[in-house]
């Protein structure tokens, strides 16, 4: 991230520079001294075998790094155990030197729904809020953007990203172990912001969208992927307690409310480009997660409902311009 500041910021010129530099320093100091999971996962990544991949494929469904014949049996064993120790792998799949990490989500399915609606990524500056292990950042890196910055506060996912970057070593992809509210206002900086799977976790979704709007260059694009409910009545579902066993779900808008949020945040040219119900093909339990998955979140008698009796998850992708 120090490289990010060096390449893209100008001390004394960009008003966000000092605040971002401080955040980067604070996070570095935190990662150097943290205990708990951050310390545990950091040491896992440090112990992964040092191998230079002979090939990298960011265009196929699995982010693929190196080939299995590059590894000695002992290295393969260490790599496999290290990757297992970084569980749960929610987003993927990844292929590390022939070790196939079959993540809970088949993230290529969302990528394939999204990609026809993305602008050209070449020479673009992109922010991915809630980037998880970087699956979408790596897919975007294949199109030669100037930079992709991810934000991922959860230790396992941040260090999964670090594990992939240990081998990919992509110079235009960065990630901070930070939440979006920690990022200083970088007004008119990004060409594209991805906000996928985040907004329903926010108590003030419009406030977040406004900050995203202001961080985009004029004409820049946002991609918002969010849980939605059917209908166009400007209603939101506000779960009494949990939604699909998640405690931290607040507003799930219908299609009109989602559009109204984007308009109120200042966006124009608002388009709903995809609406897809989440299936057991896209989100399912694999050997790479130990927790429950979609089938445990749905009513076994009526899978059109969550266990709480709310409509089962449906996600929509919106694009809009600043
Ligand atoms: C549902 S996942 C979505 C991941 C990915 N964007 C996708 O669409 O597949 C939400 C991710 O956002 C992260 N996250 C949660 N709150 C966040 C925040 N305030 N700022 C940035 N990331 C956040 C979580 O740790 C998690 O990895």
């Amino acid at each position: 991230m120090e490289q990010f500041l060096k390449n893209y910021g100008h001390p004394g010129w960009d008003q966000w520079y000092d605040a971002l530099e401080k955040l980067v320093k604070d996070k570095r100091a935190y990662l150097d001294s943290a205990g708990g999971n951050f310390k545990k996962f950091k040491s896992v990544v440090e112990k992964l075998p040092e191998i230079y991949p002979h090939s990298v494929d960011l265009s196929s469904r699995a982010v693929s790094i190196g080939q299995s014949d590059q590894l000695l049996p002992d290295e393969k064993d260490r790599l496999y155990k290290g990757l297992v120790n970084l569980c749960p792998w929610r987003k993927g799949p990844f292929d590390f030197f022939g070790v196939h990490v079959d993540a809970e989500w088949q993230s290529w399915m969302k990528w394939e729904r999204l990609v026809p609606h993305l602008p050209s990524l070449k020479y673009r500056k992109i922010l991915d809020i809630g980037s998880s292990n970087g699956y979408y950042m790596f897919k975007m890196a294949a199109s030669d953007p100037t930079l992709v910055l991810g934000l991922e506060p959860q230790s396992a996912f941040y260090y999964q990203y670090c594990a992939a970057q240990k081998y990919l070593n992509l110079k235009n992809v960065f990630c901070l172990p930070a939440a979006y509210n920690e990022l200083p206002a970088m007004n008119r900086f990004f060409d594209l912001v991805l906000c996928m799977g985040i907004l329903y976790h926010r108590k003030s979704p419009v406030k977040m969208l406004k900050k995203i709007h202001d961080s985009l260059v004029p004409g820049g694009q946002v991609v918002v992927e969010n849980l939605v409910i059917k209908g166009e009545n400007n209603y939101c579902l506000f779960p009494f307690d949990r939604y699909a066993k998640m405690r931290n779900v607040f507003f799930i808008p219908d299609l009109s409310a989602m559009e109204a949020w984007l308009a109120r945040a200042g966006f124009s040219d608002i388009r709903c480009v995809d609406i897809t119900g989440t299936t057991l093909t896209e989100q399912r339990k694999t050997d790479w997660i130990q927790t429950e998955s979609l089938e445990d979140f749905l009513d076994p008698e009526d899978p059109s409902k969550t266990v709480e009796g709310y409509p089962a998850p449906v996600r929509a992708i919106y694009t809009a311009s600043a």
Side-chain angles (χ1 to χ4, degrees), residues 91 107 110 128-132 136 151-154 157 178-181 196-198 200-202 225:
K91 311 297 165 177
S107 303
K110 182 153 81 184
D128 186 0
I129 304 170
S131 50
S132 189
Y136 297 109
L151 299 175
E152 179 46 62
Q154 280 212 37
F157 310 146
Y180 185 53
N181 62 306
M196 305 200 297
I198 298 287
Y200 51 86
H201 291 312
R202 307 307 305 157
E225 190 246 17

Side-chain angles (χ1 to χ4, degrees), residues 37 40-41 44 80-90 101-103 155-157 159-160 286-291:
N37 280 343
K40 182 180 90 183
F41 292 128
V44 171
Y80 175 77
K81 284 186 179 142
L83 296 173
V84 166
N85 284 334
L86 291 173
C87 279
W89 287 79
R90 299 251 175 249
V101 177
D102 187 13
S155 54
F157 310 146
Y159 277 110
Q160 288 166 12
T286 71
D287 291 343
W288 293 84
I289 65 159
Q290 300 77 33
T291 52

Side-chain angles (χ1 to χ4, degrees), residues 20-285:
L20 187 58
E21 188 180 43
K22 181 172 180 326
L23 178 66
V24 171
K25 276 193 183 142
D26 290 352
K27 291 291 170 190
R28 174 75 52 222
Y30 177 74
L31 294 181
D32 286 344
S33 65
N37 280 343
F38 271 97
K39 184 178 179 181
K40 182 180 90 183
F41 292 128
K42 183 180 178 208
S43 126
V44 171
V45 173
E46 284 168 354
K47 287 184 191 139
L48 290 174
E50 305 284 339
I51 319 154
Y52 178 80
H54 293 164
S55 65
V56 160
D57 181 2
L58 303 175
S59 303
S60 55
R61 287 178 171 175
V63 170
S64 300
I65 303 167
Q67 286 148 341
S68 60
D69 59 10
Q70 286 191 251
L71 296 184
L72 300 168
D74 155 65
E75 287 176 322
K76 180 151 189 171
D77 192 48
R78 273 169 51 216
L79 177 67
Y80 175 77
K81 284 186 179 142
L83 296 173
V84 166
N85 284 334
L86 291 173
C87 279
W89 287 79
R90 299 251 175 249
K91 311 297 165 177
F94 285 79
D95 201 298
F96 288 85
F97 303 93
V99 176
H100 188 71
V101 177
D102 187 13
E104 177 187 15
W105 284 83
Q106 304 256 44
S107 303
W108 56 269
M109 295 178 80
K110 182 153 81 184
W111 176 251
E112 290 181 6
R113 294 195 291 269
L114 166 66
V115 83
H117 308 289
L118 287 178
S120 164
L121 303 182
K122 201 171 170 69
Y123 305 139
R124 297 292 187 237
K125 293 193 238 173
I126 303 167
L127 175 66
D128 186 0
I129 304 170
S131 50
S132 189
N133 56 27
Y135 178 87
Y136 297 109
M137 296 207 287
F138 300 137
K139 302 297 287 176
M140 290 189 287
S143 301
D144 210 11
T146 294
L147 78 93
V148 188
L149 172 61
L151 299 175
E152 179 46 62
Q154 280 212 37
S155 54
F157 310 146
Y158 174 72
Y159 277 110
Q160 288 166 12
Y161 159 82
C162 294
Q165 268 291 50
K166 178 166 177 149
Y167 301 114
L168 289 167
N169 202 14
L170 297 168
K171 302 287 185 218
N172 55 349
V173 177
F174 304 88
C175 186
L176 265 177
Y180 185 53
N181 62 306
E182 296 179 85
L183 190 74
M186 296 171 73
N187 287 350
R188 295 183 171 221
F189 183 80
F190 295 106
D191 299 293
L192 173 67
V193 176
L194 302 190
C195 174
M196 305 200 297
I198 298 287
L199 223 46
Y200 51 86
H201 291 312
R202 307 307 305 157
K203 289 180 190 159
S204 305
V206 180
K207 195 170 153 192
M208 182 175 194
L209 288 173
K210 176 81 176 96
K211 182 174 168 186
I212 293 172
H213 174 272
D214 295 349
S215 74
L216 283 162
V217 296
Q221 191 173 311
V222 69
V223 171
V224 176
E225 190 246 17
N226 201 29
L227 285 171
V228 291
I229 53 171
K230 287 196 186 127
E232 298 187 27
N233 300 303
N234 286 93
Y235 292 161
C236 289
L237 167 66
F238 187 88
F240 189 82
D241 183 21
R242 297 184 182 211
Y243 173 85
K245 297 196 181 171
M246 291 182 281
R247 272 186 196 286
N248 55 351
V249 173
F250 298 98
F251 300 95
I252 304 181
D254 72 8
L255 300 179
S256 310
M258 186 66 239
E259 195 178 325
W261 289 358
L262 284 159
R264 290 250 202 144
F267 287 102
S268 55
D269 196 17
I270 301 164
R271 292 169 206 220
C272 177
V273 296
D274 182 75
I275 303 173
T276 299
T278 307
T279 63
L280 295 168
T281 309
E282 186 166 4
Q283 184 189 12
R284 77 278 192 257
K285 194 161 171 59

